[in-house]
């Protein structure tokens, strides 16, 4: 029986354990989690989702407070077009997060940053450029472009001195998305260093419609592998979404995948950024308590626990402090939905908005419990304690279990 440890991910002459821990925002893939993955010889991701908020938490900066104070006059105004991020502060926040994580890195592995391109921030091109370049300035080992895949992302970095030094990868959910990106990136003469193929069982935002269930990760991976072979393109493929055991991972590695990306099982580790009481909600979740809905203002379906406090919350849009999903015109689908409900219930002290959620505030407060399809299996990876809670795991335990387990077995903690 082969184990994940029988394979290696090759980046040039560098050999890595072929395990990538996915970049869950907002700071769910905390620096401590990414650092453990790198120490153990794999790849860990941090996320740049709402990075000023993350910087404030980690380094006691005051970016969110200063922005909220600057735009306080606009709180009652449904028009958010005037709200802008200070690009200097955005760069500083990214450099804080990425740079200090890199300073703490130990071991032979790598640290990547997951750049969520759907965070348009009322200036999509300008803010994306700053986040990408600041991460490179901070010495990050690699950047994974996700959540929307801006086809011009490579061009925003091409004159940076580390453009051909850092590893640059993309997340796609179809062959067509990959083909579109490769056509666009051909203009800068640089292929992605890796492609993460995310299937329909992944957590958070999905690259599918509400017909996600008719798609299959293995089929998509096979189509992409065949295309790359036909085009004679040697780009490492990394499947993601629903890979719950080491044996699941081996089945992809034996089929030619370079590595696997995993995340769900790391949500209940001590190093994960979720509050401990919410980790228990993940442990206790049943299969029928996990849903894919359309409450995200991004327009993408999103998988989460049905008990997420964000569902139906009717809080006032908090764009003056956050505003990460404002499009280039200052609009957001939640603002439209909120104002509709306010107009329909003018005398209500509290309203409910069921079709959309204020994702910025919800993610900042850990009220949107996004999760992978197999979250309901987490209870089988730990031990039930006398008080009715489950024992939290360590990232090393989960990583090693992926690395060395066979026959679909899952090692329980000591």
């Amino acid at each position: 029986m082969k184990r994940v440890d029988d394979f290696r991910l090759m980046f040039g002459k560098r050999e890595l354990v072929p395990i990538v821990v996915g970049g869950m925002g907002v700071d769910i893939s905390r620096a401590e989690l990414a650092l453990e993955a790198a120490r153990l010889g794999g790849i860990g991701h941090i996320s740049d989702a709402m990075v000023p908020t993350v910087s404030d938490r980690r380094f006691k900066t005051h970016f969110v407070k200063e922005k909220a104070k600057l735009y306080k006059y606009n709180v009652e105004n449904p028009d958010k077009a005037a709200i802008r991020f200070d690009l200097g502060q955005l760069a500083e926040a990214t450099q804080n997060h990425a740079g200090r994580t890199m300073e703490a890195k130990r071991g032979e592995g790598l640290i990547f940053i997951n750049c969520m391109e759907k965070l348009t921030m009322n200036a999509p091109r300008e803010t994306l450029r700053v986040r990408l370049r600041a991460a490179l300035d901070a010495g990050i080992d690699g950047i994974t472009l996700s959540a929307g895949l801006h086809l011009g992302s490579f061009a925003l970095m091409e004159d940076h001195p580390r453009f051909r030094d850092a590893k640059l990868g993309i997340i796609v959910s179809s062959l067509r998305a990959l083909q579109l990106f490769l056509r666009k990136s051909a203009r800068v003469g640089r292929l992605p260093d890796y492609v993460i193929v995310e299937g329909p069982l992944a957590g958070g935002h999905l690259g599918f419609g509400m017909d996600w269930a008719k798609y299959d990760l293995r089929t998509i991976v096979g189509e992409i592998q065949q295309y790359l072979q036909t085009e004679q393109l040697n780009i490492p493929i990394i499947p993601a979404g629903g890979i719950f055991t080491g044996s699941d991972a081996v089945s992809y590695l034996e089929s030619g995948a370079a590595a696997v990306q995993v995340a769900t099982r790391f949500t209940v580790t001590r190093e994960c950024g979720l509050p401990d009481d919410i980790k228990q909600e993940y442990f206790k979740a049943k299969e029928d308590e996990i849903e894919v809905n359309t409450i995200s203002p991004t327009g993408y379906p999103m998988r989460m626990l049905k008990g997420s406090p964000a569902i139906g919350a009717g809080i006032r849009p908090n764009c003056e402090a956050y505003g990460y999903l404002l499009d280039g015109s200052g609009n957001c689908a939640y603002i439209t939905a909120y104002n509709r409900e306010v107009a329909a219930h003018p005398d209500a002290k509290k309203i409910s908005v069921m079709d959309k959620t204020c994702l910025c505030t919800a993610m900042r407060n850990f009220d949107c419990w996004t999760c992978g399809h197999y979250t309901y299996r987490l209870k089988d990876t730990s031990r039930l304690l006398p008080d009715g809670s489950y024992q939290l795991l360590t990232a090393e335990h989960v990583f090693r279990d992926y690395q060395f387990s066979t026959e679909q077995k899952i090692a329980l903690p000591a």
Side-chain angles (χ1 to χ4, degrees):
M1 278 291 190
K2 286 196 172 182
R3 309 171 302 175
V4 168
D5 196 56
D6 295 323
F7 301 84
R8 284 296 180 267
L9 168 60
M10 302 299 299
F11 276 143
K13 295 182 179 179
R14 184 188 287 268
E15 290 189 11
L16 299 161
V17 178
I19 297 172
V20 181
V21 179
M24 300 171 281
V26 173
D27 211 26
I28 296 174
S29 285
R30 199 166 51 178
E32 288 80 357
L33 179 55
L35 288 166
E36 273 295 272
R39 181 182 70 82
L40 295 167
I43 297 175
H45 273 95
I46 55 176
S47 169
D48 84 336
M50 298 176 65
V51 71
T53 297
V54 175
S55 177
D56 286 355
R57 279 183 178 154
R58 290 187 65 194
F59 310 117
K60 309 305 178 187
T61 51
H62 303 284
F63 298 129
V64 173
K65 183 177 180 180
E66 289 174 17
K67 180 171 175 282
K69 184 178 180 181
L70 180 64
Y71 293 108
K72 184 179 180 180
Y73 72 89
N74 201 65
V75 167
E76 301 295 338
N77 188 355
D79 184 354
K80 308 298 183 183
I83 296 172
R84 289 287 189 276
F85 281 81
D86 182 299
L87 297 183
Q89 290 187 348
L90 181 58
E92 185 180 346
T94 303
Q95 289 173 340
N96 284 343
H97 187 31
R100 298 204 201 181
T101 301
M102 291 303 297
E103 288 172 7
K105 192 180 85 162
R106 302 291 182 269
E108 298 301 316
L110 301 175
I111 301 284
F112 291 175
I113 191 166
N114 183 293
C115 182
M116 303 185 74
E117 297 176 293
K118 262 297 182 184
L119 301 181
T120 43
M121 304 167 74
N122 206 1
R125 185 179 179 85
E126 294 82 355
T127 54
L128 181 57
R129 180 197 297 273
V130 167
R131 287 154 55 205
L132 293 171
R133 298 175 73 90
L136 293 175
D137 289 339
I140 200 74
D141 288 323
I143 298 175
T144 299
L145 304 170
S146 70
L149 202 58
H150 188 295
L151 295 180
S153 297
F154 276 17
L156 299 179
M157 299 180 277
E158 65 176 320
D159 61 342
H160 193 282
R162 296 193 64 229
F163 177 61
R164 299 183 186 279
D165 172 38
K167 301 301 178 187
L168 303 179
I170 61 174
I171 296 181
V172 299
S173 294
S174 68
L175 172 59
R176 180 176 177 275
L178 174 62
Q179 290 170 327
L180 288 171
F181 188 89
L182 292 179
R183 269 188 226 120
K184 188 78 173 183
S185 63
R187 300 178 188 178
V188 298
R190 186 180 190 319
L191 292 171
D193 295 295
Y194 58 96
V195 174
I196 296 171
V197 182
E198 192 172 83
L201 303 185
H205 288 101
L206 303 179
F208 304 89
M210 288 302 286
D211 59 348
W212 60 269
K214 74 178 188 180
Y215 295 94
D216 172 69
L217 174 60
R218 205 170 291 276
T219 300
I220 301 168
V221 169
E223 291 172 351
I224 289 176
Q225 287 175 322
Q226 181 61 50
Y227 170 77
L228 293 178
Q229 184 177 348
T230 300
E231 297 295 319
Q232 297 184 325
L233 297 173
N234 185 22
I235 305 174
I237 296 299
I238 304 175
I243 301 171
F244 200 77
T245 68
S247 300
D248 293 340
V250 166
S251 70
Y252 283 101
L253 296 171
E254 288 183 320
S255 299
V260 294
Q261 178 167 286
V262 290
T264 294
R265 288 184 58 189
F266 288 92
T267 59
V268 288
T269 61
R270 297 185 185 279
E271 293 83 357
C272 173
L274 284 171
D276 286 354
D277 59 337
I278 298 175
K279 293 173 186 175
Q280 294 299 324
E281 297 291 336
Y282 281 55
F283 270 129
K284 295 173 184 177
K286 300 175 182 176
E287 185 173 4
D288 62 2
E289 294 172 341
I290 298 168
E291 70 176 20
V292 176
N293 59 41
T294 57
I295 68 169
S296 171
T298 65
Y300 283 76
M302 189 161 58
R303 178 174 280 113
M304 65 183 67
L305 297 185
K306 289 181 179 178
S308 298
I311 299 175
I315 63 172
R316 186 180 64 196
N318 206 0
C319 306
E320 285 67 33
Y322 305 123
Y324 296 91
L325 292 178
L326 294 174
D327 66 18
S329 302
N331 299 316
C332 169
Y334 178 71
I335 297 173
T336 302
Y338 174 83
N339 290 332
R340 179 198 67 218
E341 293 302 318
V342 169
H345 306 90
D347 299 323
K349 293 183 178 179
K350 186 177 181 181
I351 64 168
S352 176
V353 181
M354 294 303 299
D355 54 321
K356 296 297 172 189
T357 191
C358 185
L359 194 59
C360 296
T361 305
M363 294 300 288
R364 184 261 178 224
N365 294 335
F366 299 108
D367 284 341
C368 192
W369 300 342
T370 57
C371 65
H373 176 79
Y374 287 125
T375 293
Y376 66 90
R377 296 174 61 185
L378 287 174
K379 60 179 64 65
D380 300 325
T381 70
S382 186
R383 298 183 186 277
L384 185 63
L385 301 175
D387 66 358
S389 67
Y390 286 85
Q391 181 178 341
L392 294 182
L393 309 173
T394 67
E396 179 174 6
H397 169 82
V398 177
F399 190 98
R400 296 295 194 201
D401 188 47
Y402 270 112
Q403 187 176 2
F404 296 112
S405 66
T406 60
E407 299 179 326
Q408 291 293 345
K409 293 179 181 176
I410 294 174
L412 297 180

